Amino acid sequence: MAPPAAPGPVSVGIANLPNQRHKIVSRKGASYNIMVVGESGLGKTTFINTLFSALMRDYKRPEQRFAKQLDRTVQIDVVRADIEEKGFNVRLSVIDTPGFGDYANNTDCWVPIVQFLDEQHQHILNHETVPNRKTDDLRVHACLYFIQPTGHTLKPLDIEVMKHLCTRVNLIPVIAKADTITPADMLAFKDRIRDCISTHNIQVFTPAVHSEDEDATRRNTSILAAMPFSVIASENDVQVNGQTVRGRQYLWGVAEVENEAHCDFKKLRNLLIRTHMHDLITTTHDHHYETHRVAKLTASGRSDDDPALQARRGFEAKMKEEEAELRKKFTEQVRLEENRFRQWEQKLISERDRLNEDLDKQHSLVKQLEEELEEIIAARKR
Amino acid sequence: MASSGASFKSGGARRKATKKGLVFTVMIVGASGCGKSTFINTLCENPVILRKDHADAEKAAQLKTIGLAPTTVELDEDGLKLSLTVVDTPGFGDNINNEPAFEDILGYIEHQYEEILAQESRIKRNPRFQDNRVHVLLYFIQPSGHSLREMDIEFMRLLGARVNVIPVIGKADSMTPQELNAFKKRIMEDISHYKIPIYDFPYDEEEDDEETIEENNELRSLLPFSVIGSEDEVVISGRRVRCRQYPWGVVEVDNSKHCDFSKLRYMLLSSHLHDLKDITHDVFDDDDEQD
């Protein structure tokens, strides 16, 4: 038989899978949840409004400040919006945390935030075993922590809160109101913050650096080098050299939002939306949600080498043994019976043979007698 | 330049003051990173307060106690020698729970009053005793752009009853002119709403002359003072200017259009120095004595 011909390069169309995914994702749209955490007055609301070029949140009304809440808690405010760009829909939710760090005594002010994050993970976990799994997914995909531009280093409150947040959500530290710090001071400040973050083992979101595309690798390295991002936010347009740009107009100049030499807003926006949005969404599900799930399930007593499961396995083994034994016994019995039948058969056969023999003998005797009779008759006739 | 203090000083007292030099104590309070140390260095035109050791990341998370360390600098204001004592309060407002800090600072101020009282009650007074009573307290407000925070309100209210409090907006170069004006207005509204006692340039309609009244009104309208501090000097068009350099422009410390630093300095060290001292001695100290 001739050997089969080696298969040549045949395109069956599996390379078309990314296109199919693209179509599915474009049709389904995405759900994106961003949380902003930081003391009031750091420009969080302005930043969110600038990020999506849309008025997402109203500013706090100053006239209402005298009717402030007296119970000194941190609230969780969720604002939803549906954003569409070139036919692609995003269901955006922005979660603000007013009251954080605003009081003289800020002990445990991070507890409501942590509770909120855990609740979202738990909500999805509970819905895993429910018949109708479609539910609102409010898991936070990116948490922007706004650092005050002191120029010194992180405050104890910052460190404590970031430690609690980094294990539950993708944490991105951001230096707010970056137009307060001169460039040289900013570099030193960023260094000190990075130092602080690594000393206290805070896991901030770090985008993967290496990718096949050289451009992407270069971009990712520059993003990584610029963390924590310094941010200037403004919704006002000002004129600079005849051009209209987003910026803040001072007596001594204009600080531009989208100018890379002034702040890292563009880098952060690219990270949040253009390049790493999918990454943020998937790490939230694959890493943070899984961490929560494992923690919750082991806490409730279930594990991979569960004693109940082990007992079950042992029982199953015993079952198998017993089954094998039964089978053996059965086959034994069958064999014995078969033997008995065979022997009986043999006996019958031998009996039959004996009887046949007897019959033959009788036959031959009869024949003999007949022959003798013939002879006698023949002899008489003569 | 008419100052409300000059009218008080007669010839003999002035000569004595010139020889001995004026003594003035300023306390600076505010959250870390508001520009307090830089302000002090800019005010004294000398690096009086050295840079804190921020490089230690481990220490960043630790509970900070308020370090109240007075530093004395000799200044020369228009021929008048001034011995300025500055009390910086590093660590205030840095912790997660800042309420204990209030007591520390209040304790320090009261302690000074007690010392003076003890000193004056002695039969044999110590001639070299240094009067450390705090004449004015500059409270640095963070440039959030919104309004006063709970800590600011509580603290100023507590201490305004014992010492002259002047609210100051630190790092004022983070706000545009419109934002700054709106912020100042809201702070003053907060101060009157919560009835916070501050030094608001009081004048006597009957006694003081028109110039003084006008000056005080002008200063009152500038409250709270916006300050920018810088220890770096740059040469711009031939003159040495203290400024902060950004990629988009240069902010000048002494330019009154950019910030109120120069007016504040003049007010503190020249025009209203005596008024502040008098109020400290007469009003606050008296309260103490009556207790």
Side-chain angles (χ1 to χ4, degrees):
Chain A
M1 201 162 74
V10 163
S11 61
V12 293
I14 35 179
N16 210 33
L17 182 62
N19 292 344
Q20 294 173 24
R21 266 209 78 65
H22 175 85
K23 280 213 196 78
I24 292 172
V25 176
S26 321
R27 197 180 52 226
K28 241 173 52 165
S31 180
Y32 200 35
N33 305 323
I34 303 182
M35 178 186 259
V36 284
V37 180
E39 295 171 35
S40 81
L42 285 181
K44 302 190 298 288
T45 311
T46 318
F47 174 78
I48 289 293
N49 290 341
T50 318
L51 190 68
F52 293 103
S53 298
L55 189 67
M56 292 281 306
R57 271 181 70 79
D58 279 324
Y59 294 100
K60 276 205 284 229
R61 298 236 296 279
E63 309 85 54
Q64 288 179 332
R65 69 188 186 274
F66 295 133
K68 242 191 289 213
Q69 49 174 14
L70 293 173
D71 50 351
R72 296 179 182 167
T73 51
V74 175
Q75 292 172 312
I76 306 281
D77 277 347
V78 181
V79 173
R80 282 175 214 249
D82 281 321
I83 299 187
E84 190 248 322
E85 187 183 286
K86 287 193 191 143
F88 182 63
N89 290 316
V90 167
R91 289 175 298 282
L92 176 74
S93 297
V94 176
I95 300 145
D96 196 0
T97 52
F100 175 82
D102 283 343
Y103 306 110
N105 184 354
N106 291 313
T107 316
D108 292 339
C109 66
W110 55 87
V111 167
I113 301 175
V114 162
Q115 267 179 354
F116 176 78
L117 292 171
D118 282 341
E119 268 168 32
Q120 302 317 310
H121 284 310
Q122 188 60 34
H123 180 74
I124 300 292
L125 184 61
N126 290 341
H127 270 255
E128 269 186 3
T129 48
V130 156
N132 183 10
R133 274 163 61 148
K134 262 178 104 64
T135 177
D136 258 347
D137 184 6
L138 210 52
R139 284 176 296 184
V140 177
H141 300 121
C143 179
L144 299 171
Y145 188 83
F146 280 69
I147 300 171
Q148 233 179 19
T150 58
H152 296 177
T153 179
L154 288 180
K155 299 203 289 195
L157 180 65
D158 297 336
I159 295 173
E160 190 64 33
V161 174
M162 290 215 274
K163 269 200 212 163
H164 281 104
L165 291 180
C166 70
T167 52
R168 296 170 159 89
V169 72
N170 293 322
L171 185 66
I172 302 175
V174 165
I175 299 175
K177 294 200 168 178
D179 51 352
T180 318
I181 309 183
T182 55
D185 286 343
M186 180 62 86
L187 287 173
F189 187 39
K190 281 190 181 182
D191 268 340
R192 281 192 285 262
I193 291 182
R194 275 195 285 257
D195 204 14
C196 231
I197 286 177
S198 65
T199 311
H200 293 274
N201 288 326
I202 297 172
Q203 303 290 332
V204 296
F205 175 74
T206 33
V209 179
H210 291 290
S211 81
E212 301 99 27
D213 189 9
E214 249 206 47
D215 269 340
T217 311
R218 227 198 338 261
R219 206 175 31 224
N220 286 345
T221 340
S222 80
I223 286 180
L224 211 54
M227 286 183 89
F229 301 105
S230 63
V231 155
I232 302 173
S234 168
E235 294 174 69
N236 303 320
D237 293 330
V238 290
Q239 294 285 335
V240 171
N241 298 335
Q243 277 187 321
T244 312
V245 290
R246 279 263 165 102
R248 289 171 64 74
Q249 175 98 55
Y250 293 106
L251 283 173
W252 46 88
V254 173
E256 296 168 40
V257 168
E258 308 219 358
N259 187 332
E260 303 252 0
H262 293 185
C263 73
D264 300 324
F265 177 81
K266 239 180 163 173
K267 288 204 181 85
L268 178 59
R269 187 178 55 192
N270 285 344
L271 181 117
L272 279 180
I273 300 177
R274 194 165 294 215
T275 53
H276 286 84
M277 179 163 148
H278 186 71
D279 203 5
L280 286 164
I281 295 177
T282 44
T283 30
T284 306
H285 182 75
D286 293 340
H287 177 64
H288 296 289
Y289 172 65
E290 286 300 309
T291 316
H292 175 91
R293 188 171 167 276
V294 167
K296 270 280 153 14
L297 290 179
T298 36
S300 72
R302 286 164 61 176
S303 76
D304 287 337
D305 20 83
D306 197 18
L309 224 60
Q310 251 177 351
R312 198 127 146 264
R313 252 186 245 131
F315 186 62
E316 270 178 12
K318 220 166 47 149
M319 279 280 289
K320 267 207 188 77
E321 252 182 51
E322 280 186 11
E323 201 185 317
E325 255 192 54
L326 272 174
R327 194 164 290 157
K328 226 170 42 178
K329 249 197 267 180
F330 189 64
T331 15
E332 265 299 312
Q333 290 223 347
V334 165
R335 202 161 52 86
L336 283 173
E337 286 296 302
E338 271 191 6
N339 272 347
R340 202 162 60 88
F341 281 134
R342 211 168 288 137
Q343 276 176 5
W344 194 15
E345 198 183 19
Q346 296 283 38
K347 254 201 273 183
L348 283 174
I349 287 176
S350 58
E351 190 71 23
R352 185 192 63 183
D353 284 348
R354 194 177 55 88
L355 288 172
N356 274 352
E357 257 183 43
D358 274 351
L359 198 64
D360 277 344
K361 255 197 235 157
Q362 296 295 345
H363 260 291
S364 59
L365 204 63
V366 163
K367 228 186 196 144
Q368 221 183 355
L369 285 173
E370 272 186 11
E371 278 179 9
E372 278 186 16
L373 190 63
E374 291 273 329
E375 272 183 21
I376 293 176
I377 291 180
R380 194 163 271 241
K381 255 188 196 155
R382 265 189 256 132
Chain B
M1 37 184 151
S3 61
S4 56
S7 55
F8 160 87
K9 285 256 182 248
S10 53
R14 193 180 167 84
R15 271 203 304 277
K16 193 161 125 195
T18 323
K19 208 169 63 166
K20 202 173 76 168
L22 289 171
V23 176
F24 195 55
T25 308
V26 179
M27 182 183 251
I28 319 263
V29 178
S32 167
C34 271
K36 300 190 304 291
S37 310
T38 315
F39 171 76
I40 294 172
N41 292 344
T42 318
L43 187 73
C44 306
E45 290 167 18
N46 260 318
V48 171
I49 308 283
L50 296 165
R51 281 269 144 253
K52 279 204 292 216
D53 176 24
H54 301 298
D56 194 346
E58 271 291 336
K59 282 209 200 125
Q62 288 168 1
L63 194 73
K64 295 188 175 68
T65 48
I66 315 288
L68 290 158
T71 326
T72 309
V73 181
E74 304 292 326
L75 295 178
D76 200 312
E77 283 294 306
D78 300 323
L80 277 175
K81 288 224 188 309
L82 175 62
S83 172
L84 179 69
T85 306
V86 179
V87 186
D88 194 6
T89 54
F92 177 81
D94 278 353
N95 296 316
I96 295 176
N97 182 2
N98 294 307
E99 281 168 354
F102 294 7
E103 297 302 320
D104 287 343
I105 295 181
L106 191 63
Y108 176 87
I109 294 175
E110 305 235 314
H111 181 67
Q112 308 310 318
Y113 285 133
E114 281 163 17
E115 289 237 311
I116 274 284
L117 200 57
Q119 197 44 232
E120 283 177 3
S121 321
R122 275 204 185 159
I123 300 170
K124 197 168 169 203
R125 295 185 190 174
N126 180 1
R128 274 192 304 255
F129 175 75
Q130 205 181 7
D131 180 2
N132 270 334
R133 282 175 292 187
V134 176
H135 298 121
V136 68
L137 186 144
L138 295 177
Y139 187 81
F140 272 68
I141 298 169
Q142 274 169 343
S144 67
H146 289 189
S147 60
L148 284 183
R149 311 162 93 214
E150 189 207 4
M151 195 164 74
D152 302 336
I153 297 169
E154 289 305 315
F155 186 79
M156 286 205 281
R157 195 193 270 165
L158 192 65
L159 270 85
R162 304 300 284 134
V163 69
N164 293 315
V165 171
I166 298 182
V168 168
I169 301 173
K171 294 199 172 175
D173 56 347
S174 67
M175 290 194 279
T176 62
Q178 304 96 309
E179 287 170 359
L180 189 61
N181 283 334
F183 188 44
K184 282 189 179 185
K185 199 164 80 108
R186 275 195 289 267
I187 291 183
M188 293 315 285
E189 277 172 17
D190 277 351
I191 286 177
S192 72
H193 181 264
Y194 290 105
K195 300 201 184 22
I196 298 172
I198 58 167
Y199 178 74
D200 58 354
F201 305 96
Y203 53 82
D204 201 330
E205 291 261 351
E206 323 260 292
E207 284 201 13
D208 294 326
D209 55 30
E210 241 188 64
E211 229 184 293
T212 320
I213 294 177
E214 215 182 281
E215 197 188 341
N216 279 354
N217 267 331
E218 195 206 331
L219 285 170
R220 192 185 291 181
S221 71
L222 283 178
L223 273 176
F225 295 102
S226 61
V227 294
I228 302 168
S230 172
E231 302 169 59
D232 305 319
E233 268 187 15
V234 173
V235 179
I236 296 182
S237 16
R239 47 191 186 100
R240 298 190 69 83
V241 178
R242 283 188 301 188
C243 60
R244 286 174 67 77
Q245 285 188 307
Y246 291 110
W248 50 87
V250 174
V251 186
E252 295 170 35
V253 169
D254 297 302
N255 186 336
S256 58
K257 283 208 280 275
H258 289 184
C259 73
D260 302 326
F261 174 80
S262 39
K263 293 220 173 71
L264 176 64
R265 182 173 201 276
Y266 180 71
M267 182 278 288
L268 268 187
L269 301 182
S270 300
S271 57
H272 287 76
L273 187 146
H274 295 290
D275 202 19
L276 289 165
K277 282 184 80 162
D278 290 341
I279 296 183
T280 310
H281 296 177
D282 301 336
V283 177
F284 295 118
D285 211 0
D286 265 351
D287 286 346
D288 206 38
E289 275 182 27
Q290 273 160 24
D291 288 341

